[in-house]
């Protein structure tokens, strides 16, 4: 579903992403790990068509992001880091806007999508509240609702559990897990236990390069008996 | 182009979701109508015309249009919603046009809310409606020209203060080019040929707005405002491409 080949992005003299290659199949939940500044977000921004790559390509369902960004964006649901949303709108107004842009043109169709997204992300108690008055956990869920409103085949989630309390984290994880059966999901995270909990594949990047691409079990087998963050530290030593 | 409508609606009604719309509309009406009455002699002149209302628009727009336009892109960039917007299935052109049209419609509303003045004229005398309508058309077109500049400046920075200051500066330039002060400076101080001075003066808002307030809709002036708006919006799209 997602095919990334030799992606490169350079900011000034710094090469943020340096030839990243991987594929994600339907049913995969890929955990995207790496220290801060390793290039996780930049890679995600290139896959979702927000940034254009300096070299390489990202293809969703056979469509190259650079060739037909709108077609790719239709297939994608994207939760940007820190879940930006228009603060003056209420949750309902915001999701209604997203539904309209996503091509649900009749009021009934929009209402159905908005209700479904609100139900999935448990936003019902705050649906009439303006987004600026919400707590961080609710804001994050609004970002989530926005990303999965059109039931996309591909989900790209940049730190989806960031800022949530442990209960909410669990809830989001089970939500991702349940949805992923017929989707391809990429999620970036700092939380190593999260990878164990939901991902069936792990990619670790360091200094803009892939340093590991395997299952969580294989990752653990690299150093039997060691904690997963020790393995992580060994692999990403270059960033320290 | 179907995606312009949701962008337009979100942006236009966005003004009314915060106090911005009400503060802006009230200040706009107070200052535009106030200037017409107290500086322009709207009643004292004893003539059934709105010339004294439109006369101040190029100067008033210098500050008020940048105030309405400075947030167009700066705010999206600062708050990160630009990332949301440009990962939705829309093109940059659609987003630029949708947001521009929303802000333009908002400014047109501010201008048109002075209609009680026209009604007063009709009650007290018999104004030439053609002149009044051409004044409104010219003023709204000119607001579009100003707004195009402001939208472009706003796309260049995520800082609204910088966006405002740059917009005012460029607009001041575009107004001053047509003043006699600038003319004397060009021909006298720099001793440039009159032909060149006239050419430069042709890029001024004043030169092209003047005829509208007198009831003349000259295709030349129409084309000026439309092409200025088109050019700035094109540059706006270029500025937003990453």
């Amino acid at each position: 579903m997602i095919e990334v080949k030799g992606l490169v992005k350079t900011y000034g003299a710094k090469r943020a992403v340096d030839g990243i290659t991987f594929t994600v199949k339907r049913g995969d939940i890929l955990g995207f790990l790496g220290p801060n500044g390793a290039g996780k977000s930049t890679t995600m921004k290139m896959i979702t068509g927000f940034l254009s790559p300096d070299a390489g390509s990202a293809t969703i369902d056979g469509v190259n992001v650079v060739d037909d960004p709108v077609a790719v964006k239709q297939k994608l649901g994207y939760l940007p880091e820190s879940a930006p949303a228009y603060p003056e709108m209420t949750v309902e107004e915001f999701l209604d806007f997203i539904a309209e842009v996503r091509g649900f043109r009749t009021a009934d169709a929009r209402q159905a999508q908005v209700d479904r997204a609100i139900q999935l992300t448990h936003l019902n108690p705050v649906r009439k509240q303006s987004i600026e008055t919400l707590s961080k956990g609710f804001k994050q869920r609004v970002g989530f609702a926005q990303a999965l409103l059109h039931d996309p085949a591909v989900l790209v989630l940049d730190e989806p559990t960031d800022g949530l309390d442990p209960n909410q984290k669990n809830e989001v994880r089970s939500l991702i897990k349940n949805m992923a059966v017929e989707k391809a999901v990429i999620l970036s995270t700092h939380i190593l236990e999260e990878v164990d909990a939901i991902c069936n594949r792990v990619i670790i990047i360091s200094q803009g390069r892939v340093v590991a691409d395997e299952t969580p079990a294989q990752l653990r087998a690299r150093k039997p008996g060691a904690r997963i963050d020790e393995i992580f530290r060994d692999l990403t030593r270059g960033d320290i | 182009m179907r995606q312009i409508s949701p962008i337009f609606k979100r942006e236009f009604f966005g003004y009314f979701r915060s106090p911005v719309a009400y503060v802006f509309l009230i200040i706009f009406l107070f200052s535009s109508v106030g200037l017409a009455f107290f500086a322009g002699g709207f009643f004292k002149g004893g003539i059934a015309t709105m010339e004294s209302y439109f006369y101040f628009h190029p100067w008033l727009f210098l500050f008020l249009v940048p105030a309405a336009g400075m947030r167009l892109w700066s705010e999206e960039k600062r708050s990160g919603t630009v990332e949301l917007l440009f990962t939705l299935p829309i093109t940059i052109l659609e987003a630029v046009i949708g947001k521009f049209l929303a802000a333009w419609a908002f400014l047109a509303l501010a201008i048109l809310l002075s209609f009680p003045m026209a009604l007063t004229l009709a009650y007290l005398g018999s104004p030439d409606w053609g002149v009044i309508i051409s004044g409104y058309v010219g003023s709204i077109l000119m607001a579009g020209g100003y707004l195009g500049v402001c939208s472009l400046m706003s796309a260049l920075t995520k800082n609204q203060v910088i966006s405002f200051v740059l917009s005012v500066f460029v607009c001041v330039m575009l107004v001053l080019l047509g003043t006699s002060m600038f003319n004397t400076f060009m021909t006298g101080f720099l001793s440039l040929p009159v032909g060149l001075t006239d050419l430069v003066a042709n890029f001024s808002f004043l030169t092209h707005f003047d005829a509208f307030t007198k009831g003349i809709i000259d295709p030349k002036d129409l084309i000026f405002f439309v092409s200025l708006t088109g050019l700035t919006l094109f540059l706006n799209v270029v500025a937003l491409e990453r």
Side-chain angles (χ1 to χ4, degrees):
Chain A
M1 295 234 60
I2 308 172
E3 241 182 290
V4 174
K5 267 193 212 136
L7 274 187
V8 173
K9 185 78 187 175
T10 314
Y11 293 119
K14 190 180 180 268
R15 195 158 258 212
V17 173
D18 191 4
I20 284 190
T21 301
F22 63 84
T23 55
V24 186
K25 293 191 297 291
R26 195 180 284 267
D28 269 355
I29 304 181
L30 173 71
F32 214 45
L33 293 177
N36 281 326
K40 300 188 298 282
S41 287
T42 308
T43 307
M44 291 184 147
K45 282 174 187 171
M46 287 191 281
I47 295 172
T48 53
F50 180 66
L51 292 174
S52 48
D54 295 336
S57 68
T59 319
I60 310 288
D61 234 357
V63 186
N64 189 323
V65 182
V66 178
D67 297 340
D68 194 349
V70 172
V72 165
K73 289 167 187 177
Q74 271 162 353
K75 297 173 199 287
L76 267 175
Y78 176 41
L79 171 67
E81 200 176 346
S82 74
Y86 295 105
E88 74 282 358
M89 296 178 110
T90 68
V91 173
E92 250 178 351
E93 284 168 346
F94 176 66
L95 293 177
D96 186 72
F97 161 68
I98 300 289
E100 195 173 352
V101 176
R102 289 288 184 192
F104 300 97
R105 286 302 151 101
T106 66
D108 286 346
R110 287 207 301 273
Q111 190 63 44
Q113 294 304 313
V114 170
D115 284 343
R116 184 185 144 271
I118 284 182
Q119 208 200 343
L120 274 174
T121 50
H122 305 287
L123 281 166
N124 218 18
V126 296
R127 60 191 294 161
K128 304 262 183 227
Q129 227 169 298
S130 67
I131 294 172
E132 62 197 341
T133 64
L134 298 180
S135 67
K136 189 158 187 204
F138 272 124
K139 274 185 193 157
Q140 192 74 14
R141 282 194 250 172
V142 172
F144 226 107
Q146 163 275 122
L148 45 86
L149 185 120
H150 56 302
D151 199 14
V154 174
L155 270 177
V156 179
L157 310 168
D158 202 348
E159 302 193 5
T161 56
D162 185 41
L164 302 182
D165 67 37
N167 296 339
Q168 295 166 336
K169 274 184 187 155
N170 269 327
E171 204 177 290
V172 165
R173 284 174 199 160
S174 61
L175 183 63
I176 296 174
K177 228 174 171 174
N178 291 337
M179 281 188 322
V181 186
E182 74 286 26
K183 293 186 200 306
V185 182
I186 304 182
L187 66 95
S188 76
T189 180
H190 287 296
I191 307 160
L192 298 166
E193 64 189 63
E194 201 156 280
V195 174
D196 260 345
I198 50 174
C199 299
N200 56 10
R201 254 183 69 209
V202 191
I203 284 184
I204 297 181
I205 64 171
S206 170
Q207 294 181 311
R209 289 167 194 270
V210 175
V211 292
D213 179 356
E214 52 209 11
T215 65
Q218 284 169 321
L219 184 69
R220 201 182 300 275
R222 280 176 181 245
K223 209 172 176 186
R227 297 215 330 264
I228 200 161
D229 47 344
E230 274 176 57
I231 302 167
F232 178 80
R233 198 174 335 122
D234 286 348
L235 284 168
T236 58
R237 194 145 276 174
D239 273 281
I240 302 167
Chain B
M1 289 294 123
R2 313 176 52 230
Q3 300 288 52
I4 291 175
S5 136
I7 305 285
F8 173 89
K9 279 192 279 180
R10 200 209 67 74
E11 188 73 29
F12 185 78
F13 294 112
Y15 285 104
F16 295 91
R17 286 193 187 102
S18 66
V20 172
Y22 306 101
V23 172
F24 185 88
L25 289 176
I26 290 169
I27 298 294
F28 186 93
L29 282 172
F30 258 109
S31 44
S32 64
V33 176
L35 279 171
F37 269 86
F38 299 111
F42 178 65
F43 267 148
K44 256 190 257 158
I47 312 164
T49 157
M50 288 187 72
E51 229 184 300
S52 60
Y53 169 69
F54 292 118
Y55 177 81
F56 295 100
H57 278 192
W59 306 98
L60 199 60
F61 286 5
L62 271 184
F63 301 99
L64 290 179
V65 177
M70 66 180 186
R71 51 176 286 282
L72 274 179
W73 291 102
S74 306
E75 196 170 271
E76 299 257 359
K77 287 186 164 187
R78 168 61 52 96
S79 68
T81 45
V82 68
E83 196 173 339
L84 179 84
L85 190 63
F86 286 142
T87 48
L88 290 171
I90 56 169
T91 61
I92 295 178
L93 181 66
E94 287 166 338
V96 167
I97 292 179
K99 279 169 92 71
F100 171 82
L101 288 180
W104 196 24
F106 180 67
L107 290 173
L109 175 71
I111 295 166
L112 290 172
L113 279 178
S114 67
F115 74 94
M117 289 177 82
L119 296 183
T120 313
L121 287 180
Y123 178 72
L124 294 174
S126 48
D128 184 339
W129 286 105
V131 178
I132 292 182
I133 290 168
S134 103
Y136 274 114
V137 170
S139 178
I140 290 172
L141 275 175
M142 183 170 64
Y146 276 95
L147 185 65
V149 171
C150 299
S151 181
L152 171 61
M153 294 304 148
S154 174
L156 297 177
T157 170
K158 60 177 161 189
N159 187 318
Q160 294 198 26
V161 176
I162 294 178
S163 155
F164 179 81
V165 172
L166 282 179
S167 301
V168 171
F169 177 75
V170 175
C171 291
V172 164
M173 284 298 136
L174 281 169
V175 167
L176 289 186
L177 291 180
T179 58
S180 53
M181 183 185 82
F182 180 78
N183 254 296
T184 350
F185 175 76
M186 288 278 280
T187 48
F189 189 70
L190 296 177
S191 50
L192 292 169
V194 178
L196 183 69
T197 309
D198 285 349
L199 183 79
V200 174
N202 262 325
F203 286 96
S204 166
F205 285 127
L206 290 180
T207 323
H208 293 279
F209 181 59
D210 207 35
F212 282 104
T213 63
K214 306 230 157 34
I216 307 156
I217 301 185
D218 188 334
K220 211 170 63 208
D221 302 327
L222 266 176
I223 290 169
F224 170 76
F225 285 123
V226 171
S227 53
L228 174 72
T229 311
L231 174 72
T232 48
L233 292 185
F234 167 74
L235 292 175
N236 201 332
V237 171
V238 173
L240 286 169
E241 257 158 18
R242 288 147 316 238

